[in-house]
């Protein structure tokens, strides 16, 4: 925590800015769960904004494996208009320091803390995510009683909420659905894949980092159990549910660049590009994946929902 405080204190040293250039800092916790590829996508959003707008962009990575304090001391001579935080330790640091630096704007992506006048929070609509998973399972349902394999690398309150909502939705007017939660163990991943592929499920949901997913796909039998993965990547074996961290980071910077006042709480969903479903047309011989895509993404509005 002490290192994190020094990092943010360095970023927030109040100094004069140069001309009309906006200074944006993206603070990412690279040790945090990568289940939705949050860090890589957030960086992409910053790079996209840097290409289009007159901004100075700085990425600060929080990770225990390197001494980043000396590096971020170089930022002391730069003033920042906006600090965007992604990851649990970035969030903890910003939530602690923001009250002391009221003139600086902060944005937390996919996280939150007590709302202050200088902290905005961006979230991804949990109900929309739950509905997408529900529709995915219902379209592929093969048995009267729904059964899902839910593989997750790291649990969280938000994932628990989504899983509970999926369970409730799949149990309405029918026999109680079953979600089998299977934690990921790197040393036992291959036996887990064999166990899941040998069983009959109406859907297999894998919420894990890219390294786990690549190993999963490498050993997953084609055509065995409908597969839904988190984050961007190969769709050769199933459908993907993506939180577009790049889109929300880009839109946050665009709003500041355009001089628009940003609401304290913004929720993104499929309709505004904050969430996305991807699938391979080669898997769609029976139109199942296309049907899920159409059901979930059919709304067409341009602005994110504001709470």
């Amino acid at each position: 925590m002490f290192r994190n405080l020094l990092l943010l204190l360095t970023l927030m040293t109040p100094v004069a800015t140069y001309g009309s250039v906006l200074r944006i800092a993206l603070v990412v916790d690279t040790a945090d769960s990568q289940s939705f590829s949050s860090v890589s996508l957030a960086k992409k959003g910053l790079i996209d904004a840097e290409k289009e707008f007159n901004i100075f962009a700085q990425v600060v990575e929080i990770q225990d494996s390197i001494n980043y304090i000396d590096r971020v001391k170089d930022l002391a001579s730069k003033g920042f208009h906006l600090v965007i935080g992604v990851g649990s330790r970035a969030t903890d640091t910003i939530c602690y320091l923001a009250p002391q630096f009221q003139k600086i704007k902060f944005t937390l992506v996919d996280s939150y803390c007590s709302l202050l006048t200088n902290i905005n929070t961006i979230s991804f609509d949990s109900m929309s995510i739950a509905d997408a998973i529900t529709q995915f399972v219902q379209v592929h349902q093969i048995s009267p009683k729904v059964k899902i394999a839910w593989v997750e690398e790291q649990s969280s309150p938000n994932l628990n909420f989504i899983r509970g909502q999926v369970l409730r939705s799949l149990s309405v007017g029918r026999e109680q659905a079953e979600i089998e939660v299977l934690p990921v163990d790197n040393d036992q991943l291959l036996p887990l894949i064999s166990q899941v592929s040998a069983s009959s499920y109406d859907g297999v949901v894998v919420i894990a980092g890219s390294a786990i997913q690549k190993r999963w796909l490498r050993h997953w039998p084609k055509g065995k159990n409908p597969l839904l993965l988190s984050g961007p990547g190969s769709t050769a074996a199933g459908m993907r549910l993506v939180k577009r961290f790049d889109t929300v980071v880009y839109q946050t910077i665009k709003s500041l660049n355009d001089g628009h006042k940003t609401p304290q709480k913004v929720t993104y969903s499929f309709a505004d590009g904050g969430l996305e479903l991807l699938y391979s047309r080669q898997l769609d011989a029976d139109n199942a994946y296309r049907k899920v895509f159409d059901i979930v993404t059919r709304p067409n509005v341009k602005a994110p929902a504001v709470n």
Side-chain angles (χ1 to χ4, degrees):
M1 183 66 178
F2 177 70
R3 287 184 176 184
N4 297 354
L5 295 180
L6 285 179
L7 185 155
L8 261 297
L9 284 170
T10 301
L11 285 175
M12 297 183 294
T13 301
V15 297
T17 58
Y18 303 91
S20 59
V21 176
L22 287 175
R23 281 165 169 73
I24 314 294
L26 174 64
V27 182
V28 295
D29 183 358
T30 57
D32 205 18
S33 172
Q34 301 299 302
S35 297
F36 282 90
S37 299
S38 56
V39 171
S40 60
L41 286 175
K43 289 180 180 179
K44 178 182 180 300
L46 182 67
I47 292 171
D48 291 344
E50 189 176 22
K51 290 177 180 177
E52 184 166 344
F53 308 120
N54 185 29
I55 68 172
F56 171 82
Q58 177 71 53
V59 176
V60 179
E61 296 184 348
I62 298 178
Q63 52 180 280
D64 291 334
S65 60
I66 63 170
N67 182 357
Y68 58 84
I69 298 178
D70 292 339
R71 182 169 63 84
V72 298
K73 284 181 180 178
D74 294 337
L75 299 175
S77 61
K78 302 182 180 77
F80 285 80
H81 299 85
L82 173 66
V83 177
I84 302 173
V86 176
S88 58
R89 287 182 295 180
T91 295
D92 291 342
T93 305
I94 287 174
C95 291
Y96 181 81
L97 287 175
Q100 305 171 40
F101 298 91
Q102 291 291 324
K103 292 184 179 180
I104 295 178
K105 296 181 183 296
F106 298 90
T107 295
L108 298 177
V109 184
D110 205 23
S111 189
Y112 63 92
C113 63
S114 298
L115 289 180
L116 301 167
T117 56
N118 60 331
I119 293 184
N120 298 329
T121 60
I122 295 175
S123 61
F124 300 96
D125 188 6
S126 296
M127 292 297 291
S128 293
I129 294 173
D131 179 60
I133 297 172
T134 299
Q135 296 297 338
F136 173 81
V137 174
Q138 286 181 332
V139 168
H140 292 93
Q141 184 177 347
I142 58 175
S143 56
K145 178 180 178 178
V146 177
K147 185 178 181 181
I148 307 172
W150 187 286
V151 181
E152 60 184 31
E153 186 173 6
Q154 184 179 15
S155 184
S156 70
N158 183 249
L159 279 180
N160 292 340
F161 171 83
I162 292 171
R163 189 170 63 246
Q165 184 60 39
V166 171
L167 183 63
R168 286 188 289 273
S169 298
L170 290 173
S171 301
V172 173
R174 68 185 78 184
E175 189 175 351
Q176 178 70 29
E178 178 183 352
I179 297 182
E180 187 175 355
V181 181
L182 303 168
V184 171
D185 182 338
N186 277 309
D187 296 332
Q188 297 297 319
L189 186 60
L190 293 185
L192 177 61
I193 295 173
S194 297
Q195 171 192 334
V196 174
S197 63
S199 304
S200 294
Y201 294 101
D202 297 292
V204 176
V205 179
V206 179
I207 302 177
S210 58
I212 294 293
Q213 291 195 26
K214 286 178 182 178
R215 291 181 63 194
W216 189 282
L217 289 173
R218 191 180 306 127
H219 299 282
W220 184 250
K222 290 185 178 180
K224 181 62 177 178
N225 289 324
L227 184 64
L228 178 67
L229 300 153
S230 65
S234 172
T235 58
M239 186 166 254
R240 284 189 174 273
L241 176 58
V242 186
K243 292 181 177 180
R244 300 295 335 185
F245 282 82
D246 51 342
T247 297
V248 302
V249 167
Y250 173 87
Q251 290 296 338
T252 299
I253 296 172
K254 182 179 186 301
S255 180
L256 180 64
N257 181 77
D258 294 346
H260 297 156
K261 184 176 180 180
T262 305
Q264 275 198 285
K265 296 177 65 178
V266 180
T267 301
Y268 281 82
S269 187
F270 291 98
D272 43 63
L275 294 171
E276 185 178 26
L277 275 178
L278 302 172
Y279 74 100
S280 170
R281 297 292 177 87
Q282 296 176 352
L283 296 173
D284 205 17
D286 61 354
N287 248 1
Y289 286 95
R290 180 68 194 185
K291 183 177 181 181
V292 176
F293 181 87
D294 288 340
I295 291 173
V296 172
T297 63
R298 62 174 176 255
N300 184 22
V301 297
K302 295 183 178 180
V306 178
N307 293 331

